[in-house]
């Protein structure tokens, strides 16, 4: 029954989350506004020296993207858990795996994809050339889904716990550090005139690994949380 319900559940959950986000625009725009403000404050803090800005640009963008993702993922399951809809979906025979995958995709569409789209603007603000901006956008396109998948796992593990948001950050941020390292390394390699293929390959491997195993862990945590 659950295997048959999985494909039928995936798309409706994604569309439902997107419709709910359209009604709560302030909550959706908050992580994006945080990202924009945090990134633009760094040049003011470190000074306008072009070489320094180019050197710190990849790390600044990636750290701000990570923090923006953590800011939004804390409420990924909290609302559904509070109003009982999460329990109803799971008790109806819906697949927890499909639910976890759908929630992660919806989170990426609302948070990760916009960050990828606006990253060239901030790359220009930091003085990056076209190749480095392309590398930054490509690395974010591979890396931000990892943040959504791991964030969903953390949100499920801390669901219903007091102080869950702080615990979520402590659990998830260390797991996201490899993606941050390889993402910034890709831009640094391009800036140095080297190939970034190794960094892309490692990011792709991390994405495949988290896509295969992240939703399974999230599904298990959700099943435990509603028992």
């Amino acid at each position: 029954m659950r295997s048959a319900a999985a494909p039928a559940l995936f798309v409706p959950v994604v569309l439902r989350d997107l419709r709910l986000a359209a009604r709560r625009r302030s909550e959706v725009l908050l992580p994006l506004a945080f990202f924009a403000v945090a990134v633009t404050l760094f040049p003011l803090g470190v000074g306008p020296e072009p070489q320094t800005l180019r050197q710190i640009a990849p790390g600044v963008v990636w750290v701000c993207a990570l923090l923006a993702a953590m800011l939004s993922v804390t409420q990924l399951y909290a609302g559904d858990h509070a109003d009982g809809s999460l329990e109803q979906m799971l008790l109806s025979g819906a697949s927890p795996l499909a639910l976890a995958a759908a929630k992660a995709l919806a989170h990426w569409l609302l948070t990760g994809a916009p960050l990828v789209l606006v990253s060239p603007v901030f790359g220009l603000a930091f003085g990056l050339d076209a190749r480095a901006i392309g590398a930054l956008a490509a690395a974010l396109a591979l890396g931000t889904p990892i943040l959504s998948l791991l964030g969903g796992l953390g949100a499920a593990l801390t669901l219903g716990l007091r102080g869950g948001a702080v615990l979520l950050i402590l659990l998830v941020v260390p797991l996201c550090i490899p993606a941050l390292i390889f993402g910034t390394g890709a831009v640094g390699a391009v800036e140095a005139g080297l190939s970034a293929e190794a960094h892309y390959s490692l990011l792709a491997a991390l994405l495949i690994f988290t896509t295969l195993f992240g939703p399974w862990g999230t599904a298990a945590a959700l099943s435990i949380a509603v028992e």
Side-chain angles (χ1 to χ4, degrees):
M1 181 178 181
R2 288 194 172 189
S3 60
L9 174 72
F10 183 84
V11 174
V13 170
V14 174
L15 295 177
R16 171 182 174 272
D17 279 12
L18 295 179
R19 286 195 296 269
L20 290 174
R23 298 173 187 172
R24 301 193 297 259
R25 295 180 184 177
S26 60
E27 294 181 13
V28 176
L29 293 176
L30 178 60
L32 303 179
F34 170 84
F35 175 80
V37 171
V39 171
T40 52
L41 285 177
F42 271 90
L44 299 177
V46 302
E49 205 281 315
Q51 183 62 28
T52 301
L53 292 179
R54 284 195 297 270
Q55 289 177 349
I56 68 171
V60 168
V61 172
W62 262 95
V63 168
C64 292
L66 172 58
L67 295 178
M70 295 304 100
L71 183 65
S72 60
V73 82
T74 55
Q75 298 299 315
L76 190 59
Y77 296 104
D80 292 337
H81 184 257
D83 63 18
S85 58
L86 176 62
E87 185 175 2
Q88 290 298 318
M89 282 189 285
L90 295 178
L91 292 178
S92 67
S95 167
L97 180 62
L99 176 63
K103 285 282 190 177
L105 176 59
H107 179 267
W108 182 80
L109 290 174
L110 293 169
T111 305
L115 297 184
V116 176
L117 294 175
V118 302
S119 61
V121 177
F122 294 103
L124 288 173
F126 278 85
L128 296 179
D129 59 27
R131 292 181 66 248
I133 290 174
L136 179 62
L140 286 171
L142 289 171
T144 48
I146 298 173
L147 306 184
S148 294
L149 288 163
L150 292 178
L153 175 59
L157 288 172
T158 58
L159 188 60
L161 298 180
R162 183 176 298 178
V166 176
L167 183 58
L168 184 153
I169 293 174
L170 294 176
L171 286 173
V172 174
V173 169
L175 299 176
C176 296
I177 288 177
L180 188 150
I181 292 173
F182 299 138
T184 56
V187 184
V190 170
E191 283 274 272
L194 304 174
S195 173
E197 289 184 3
H199 299 279
Y200 293 146
S201 297
L202 290 169
L203 277 174
L206 283 174
L207 177 57
I208 292 171
F209 181 82
T210 53
T211 301
L212 291 176
F213 296 103
W216 286 99
T218 305
L222 290 175
S223 298
I224 294 171
V226 298
E227 287 180 356

